[in-house]
Amino acid sequence: MEGVDHLAHERNKSEFDVDAMKIVWAGSPHAFDVSDRISKLVASDPGFRKDNRSTLSRKELFKNTLRKAAYAWKTIVDLRLSEEEAAKLRFYVDEPAFTDLHWGMFIPAIKGQGTEEQQQKWLPLAYKMQIIGCYAQTELGHGSNVQGLETTATFDPQTDEFIIHSPTLTSSKWWPGGLGKVATHAIAYARLIVGGREHGVNGFIVQLRSLEDHSPLLGITVGDIGMKFGNGAYNTMDNGVLRFDHVRIPRNQMLMRVSQVTCEGKYKQSDVPRQLVYGTMVYVRQTIVADASCALSRAVCIATRYSAVRRQFGSQNGGPETQVIDYKTQQSRLFPLLASAYAFRFIGEWLKWLYADVTQRLQANDFSTLPEAHACTAGLKSLTTTATADGIEECRKLCGGHGYLCSSGLPELFAVYVPACTYEGDNTVLLLQVARFLMKTVSQLGSSKKPVGTIAYMTRVEHLMQCRCGVQRGFAELSVDLVEAAVAHCQLIVVSKFIEKLQQEIPGKGVKQQLEVLCNIYALFLLHKHQGDFLSTGCITPKHAALANDELRSLYSQVRPNAIALVDAFNYTDHYLGSILGCYDGNVYPKLYEAAWKDPLNESVVPDGYHQYIRPLLKQEIRTARL
Ligand SMILES: CCCCCCCC/C=C\CCCCCCCCCC(=O)SCCNC(=O)CCNC(=O)[C@H](O)C(C)(C)COP(=O)(O)OP(=O)(O)OC[C@H]1O[C@@H](n2cnc3c(N)ncnc32)[C@H](O)[C@@H]1OP(=O)(O)O
Ligand SMILES: Cc1cc2nc3c(=O)[nH]c(=O)nc-3n(C[C@H](O)[C@H](O)[C@H](O)COP(=O)(O)OP(=O)(O)OC[C@H]3O[C@@H](n4cnc5c(N)ncnc54)[C@H](O)[C@@H]3O)c2cc1C
């Protein structure tokens, strides 16, 4: 029945202060207040409805996304929302759109790679959305290999301009979000050519469309690259294709914090690492880790609530069947994902600190932690997105057949999320960067340069390297093993930072105890999953492995009474979850049944096409093959 909490009995089992855990999940009382207020604002405004997405055509879907983006912007302006509140509103609108790239990449690129003068010119226009930007780096022929990009930017000293050109088909910009139909400007990455000499890939601000009638400017060919994975999902985003035909831009539209070109045509490289040109990608990778905890926690919330609602088998003398959440197999699949959601939340908090710290150091020309920041953002982006994409799919399976319904929210969540394993760096390519960092660290063992921070533990392998220092096989030859070592390195960071989180003051009855249980589940589940490596290297004995298994089962039993409260702590509205299976009150079956009849296919009891195709079949009016 409506208004009845079908999960009340589960909520009454909780052994900790859920409101206190909500603050821990949000990060602070202030962050909780902003999230709670804005999520409810979005949920209560019919202008942000999203339950019809799977029934719209691509063009209807895209136009609806533009409407919502404009409506969101109007809401932000009318309510005078702060930058933090506005970001939260865009998050809870929950629809990939051009604004993700305008706010998430175009603006950060100007802030990170533009000079003070360039920031003063372009940021006010971007913040007021008087221009809409995208990040145009990837090309048809190159994405991972940034140094392989083919677009050219040739300096013309006669006119003090750069000529931006797409020399080949494969140099066409391909994938940039927001590019296809909306962006008026791009940060385009191109090979800088000055006086016939190449100076690597740099970023250039290029206007793409008229601010009067939105038509593409002279020399610009631009459009959408077409439908992507899934129906609604990421098709709300106009990922685009862009070709330049000798497009001229003023010299001062090359982002010049890292490298400069003078009006005399002199190329100058600042005394900063050239990799700062990649700074926007590092920034986005750390935000993607926080996004991973959001996406995984959504899926886990849905699967946990539904696992408590769903009963199957086990009825004794006509009594109620067993809740599937009580099956040990269901717990062994679900609770490690619940623990991962919390683990990724805390590693996301730490990575945000690491990024802020390296940014502050860069301002003082201190580049000492840049390699570690690159390795951590690359590795943790790879680890958390892979685990989250796999976790969302596991949550769909944990919900049985109903998990495959769009009304469960899981198919769309999966379809929107999985590209995170590719965008902002293919996950394997990024792990290879971590592996390169680890090997460089190992090669420096024994020198005066002692490993610190997240690689401090590597001093312990020093003895290994000394006895094996002569044995070196090619990086490429060992890359599979090195990628596994990179994953293990990142997992160690996640576990370490979870443990460090527990050493902080954590208010609320039973809250720290619950987090300790989740931390132990996360760590022991990894040990169980990789026990072959731990056993073969002698890190643990078979008895240790058995003890870990026993402890995991015990920990699952400890989580069980708190599972619903632990997902309630995410404080997601039913609107944001977009899932009948995950609705707060657990009143699933009536809602599933009601939703079915709303499908357009049920607008008529006799389907279109019956008289044309089915009736002739049934009436044998179609010659049938001799049976
Ligand atoms: C239904 C609801 C759904 C809810 C879920 C929603 C979830 C999503 C929510 C929000 C979405 C947010 C919006 C996201 C939208 C998508 C955005 C995507 C945008 C993009 O994809 S932009 C393009 C990204 N492209 C890449 O990442 C390219 C990857 N390739 C590279 O980074 C580089 O090519 C490379 C690093 C792999 C190699 O570079 P290269 O110059 O060749 O360098 P190397 O020779 O390998 O190394 C040399 C040296 O440099 C060091 N180094 C490399 N990179 C960096 C760096 N970034 N910073 C610092 N140092 C770096 C490297 O370590 C070497 O050092 P050494 O010499 O060893 O000391
Ligand atoms: C939804 C979505 C949104 C995007 N948005 C943007 C955007 O806004 N702006 C933008 O510029 N780009 C964007 N991209 C592009 C994205 O950044 C690239 O697709 C991504 O960097 C991967 O590069 P790639 O496509 O060249 O993959 P590839 O590198 O071609 O990967 C193909 C395979 O090759 C393997 N591989 C590649 N190099 C190596 C190597 N050295 N060693 C071992 N294996 C290797 C990879 O692991 C992978 O298995 C987007 C992509 C998607 C899917």
Side-chain angles (χ1 to χ4, degrees):
M1 293 81 79
E2 275 308 311
V4 172
D5 181 358
H6 295 256
L7 288 170
H9 66 289
E10 287 291 339
R11 294 181 166 112
N12 293 335
K13 294 177 186 173
S14 167
E15 298 161 340
F16 67 96
D17 179 344
V18 181
D19 290 333
M21 186 68 89
K22 288 180 180 177
I23 304 286
V24 171
W25 178 263
S28 69
H30 167 75
F32 170 77
D33 168 63
V34 170
S35 286
D36 189 58
R37 194 160 31 85
I38 299 297
S39 66
K40 286 173 177 155
L41 170 75
V42 171
S44 63
D45 188 331
F48 293 122
R49 72 170 287 209
K50 60 179 190 176
D51 55 355
N52 61 343
R53 277 194 297 221
S54 58
T55 62
L56 301 177
S57 70
R58 174 79 194 286
K59 288 178 82 170
E60 292 166 333
L61 184 74
F62 186 69
K63 187 175 179 181
N64 189 46
T65 298
L66 300 187
R67 176 194 63 76
K68 271 193 207 174
Y71 186 65
W73 181 245
K74 185 177 182 309
T75 304
I76 290 164
V77 171
D78 290 353
L79 300 182
R80 299 176 184 277
L81 297 185
S82 67
E83 204 174 315
E84 178 189 14
E85 291 167 328
K88 273 298 173 191
L89 185 130
R90 284 190 291 270
F91 173 80
Y92 284 115
V93 166
D94 184 34
E95 192 146 307
F98 64 91
T99 41
D100 292 334
L101 285 306
H102 176 77
W103 296 99
M105 296 203 78
F106 181 76
I107 287 175
I110 294 171
K111 288 169 77 172
Q113 298 157 47
T115 62
E116 275 305 314
E117 187 184 350
Q118 289 171 326
Q119 292 186 45
Q120 283 161 17
K121 174 181 179 181
W122 293 99
L123 289 180
L125 295 170
Y127 276 120
K128 292 177 192 151
M129 292 202 84
Q130 288 169 332
I131 62 173
I132 297 175
C134 67
Y135 183 89
Q137 176 178 295
T138 302
E139 296 173 355
L140 192 57
H142 294 89
S144 291
N145 180 9
V146 176
Q147 289 310 312
L149 294 177
E150 298 175 83
T151 300
T152 56
T154 307
F155 181 62
D156 179 351
Q158 304 304 317
T159 61
D160 200 29
E161 293 172 318
F162 287 104
I163 301 165
I164 310 295
H165 184 58
S166 306
T168 60
L169 177 67
T170 49
S171 67
S172 307
K173 292 299 177 185
W174 189 277
W175 273 114
L179 169 64
K181 309 308 288 184
V182 179
T184 60
H185 290 70
I187 307 279
Y189 284 81
R191 319 184 68 81
L192 172 62
I193 300 168
V194 181
R197 283 191 60 199
E198 282 211 10
H199 297 282
V201 170
N202 286 271
F204 300 82
I205 300 174
V206 187
Q207 184 169 348
L208 307 175
R209 293 173 179 271
S210 156
L211 294 177
E212 299 310 315
D213 63 8
H214 208 60
S215 58
L217 298 184
L218 183 65
I220 297 287
T221 303
V222 63
D224 185 88
I225 62 172
M227 281 291 279
K228 297 167 287 267
F229 187 101
N231 235 350
Y234 220 91
N235 290 298
T236 56
M237 179 80 78
D238 53 327
N239 297 92
V241 49
L242 164 65
R243 287 185 61 74
F244 301 103
D245 181 2
H246 301 93
V247 174
R248 287 179 170 270
I249 62 171
R251 178 172 55 84
N252 66 10
Q253 287 183 210
M254 170 180 159
L255 295 178
M256 292 206 197
R257 180 173 172 212
V258 178
S259 310
Q260 298 83 38
V261 174
T262 68
C263 57
E264 297 81 23
K266 286 260 177 294
Y267 170 77
K268 293 199 300 185
Q269 160 86 31
S270 299
D271 55 355
V272 299
R274 74 168 174 81
Q275 282 79 18
L276 284 187
V277 167
Y278 296 163
T280 308
M281 294 187 280
V282 177
Y283 163 72
V284 176
R285 287 168 191 156
Q286 62 94 17
T287 67
I288 288 174
V289 172
D291 285 335
S293 74
C294 297
L296 182 57
S297 56
R298 272 175 77 172
V300 166
C301 183
I302 294 166
T304 301
R305 286 178 177 167
Y306 181 65
S307 296
V309 167
R310 185 69 168 177
R311 291 175 178 275
Q312 205 70 195
F313 298 110
S315 166
Q316 304 294 328
N317 309 321
E321 293 180 72
T322 302
Q323 289 171 277
V324 298
I325 197 169
D326 285 328
Y327 290 121
K328 283 300 178 190
T329 48
Q330 190 85 351
Q331 292 177 9
S332 69
R333 293 158 62 196
L334 178 61
F335 292 163
L337 294 176
L338 174 59
S340 299
Y342 275 86
F344 294 172
R345 189 69 168 184
F346 302 140
I347 199 65
E349 279 180 1
W350 174 77
L351 202 56
K352 187 175 177 183
W353 168 85
L354 182 72
Y355 181 78
D357 179 68
V358 75
T359 303
Q360 200 172 20
R361 289 167 183 266
L362 293 180
Q363 278 149 10
N365 278 351
D366 169 4
F367 310 115
S368 59
T369 60
L370 187 60
E372 180 179 36
H374 167 48
C376 286
T377 48
L380 292 168
K381 180 271 180 186
S382 179
L383 183 144
T384 57
T385 54
T386 295
T388 295
D390 294 347
I392 295 169
E393 169 57 1
E394 188 62 22
C395 286
R396 180 192 65 78
K397 291 188 280 189
L398 282 160
C399 295
H402 304 340
Y404 193 63
L405 283 168
C406 282
S407 61
S408 77
L410 290 164
E412 183 171 51
L413 178 54
F414 180 77
V416 169
Y417 191 79
V418 285
C421 298
T422 305
Y423 62 55
E424 219 52 73
D426 164 84
N427 280 356
T428 300
V429 168
L430 293 182
L431 286 173
L432 287 164
Q433 285 291 306
V434 180
R436 175 175 176 150
F437 172 68
L438 294 176
M439 290 307 285
K440 184 167 187 178
T441 301
V442 167
S443 70
Q444 293 168 345
L445 292 176
S447 71
S448 57
K449 187 176 167 60
K450 290 299 176 198
V452 294
T454 53
I455 46 173
Y457 71 90
M458 293 184 80
T459 47
R460 298 194 193 96
V461 299
E462 197 156 343
H463 65 288
L464 274 181
M465 290 321 299
Q466 278 152 2
C467 66
R468 293 183 54 209
C469 60
V471 181
Q472 285 294 337
R473 284 160 62 186
F475 184 94
E477 180 60 27
L478 290 175
S479 56
V480 175
D481 306 89
L482 288 169
V483 158
E484 288 180 13
V487 172
H489 171 71
C490 294
Q491 290 287 20
L492 177 62
I493 296 172
V494 175
V495 173
S496 307
K497 297 309 173 188
F498 204 155
I499 292 168
E500 282 179 24
K501 178 74 180 179
L502 295 175
Q503 286 154 0
Q504 294 173 13
E505 181 63 35
I506 298 179
K509 176 182 84 67
V511 171
K512 180 176 252 186
Q513 289 80 348
Q514 287 305 314
L515 294 175
E516 282 166 350
V517 170
L518 293 175
C519 179
N520 292 337
I521 286 176
Y522 186 82
L524 289 176
F525 179 74
L526 283 178
L527 191 146
H528 173 74
K529 184 178 174 186
H530 300 284
Q531 62 180 310
D533 291 333
F534 285 104
L535 288 166
S536 63
T537 52
C539 289
I540 64 170
T541 65
K543 182 157 179 50
H544 290 146
L547 285 172
N549 256 356
D550 295 344
E551 179 60 14
L552 259 182
R553 271 197 303 277
S554 165
L555 289 164
Y556 294 157
S557 301
Q558 293 174 53
V559 165
R560 170 63 190 89
N562 299 289
I564 292 302
L566 284 166
V567 300
D568 283 351
F570 301 146
N571 200 40
Y572 291 147
T573 62
D574 283 351
H575 170 273
Y576 176 64
L577 278 181
S579 168
I580 288 175
L581 304 190
C583 59
Y584 183 84
D585 66 8
N587 190 24
V588 170
Y589 294 138
K591 287 174 179 166
L592 275 184
Y593 190 79
E594 182 191 350
W597 298 109
K598 288 179 181 169
D599 188 280
L601 207 52
N602 290 321
E603 281 165 4
S604 63
V605 289
V606 175
D608 288 352
Y610 162 74
H611 292 286
Q612 194 173 356
Y613 303 113
I614 302 304
R615 182 176 178 76
L617 210 62
L618 294 171
K619 296 302 178 191
Q620 297 302 308
E621 292 160 10
I622 296 176
R623 282 177 54 75
T624 51
R626 188 177 302 286
L627 296 180

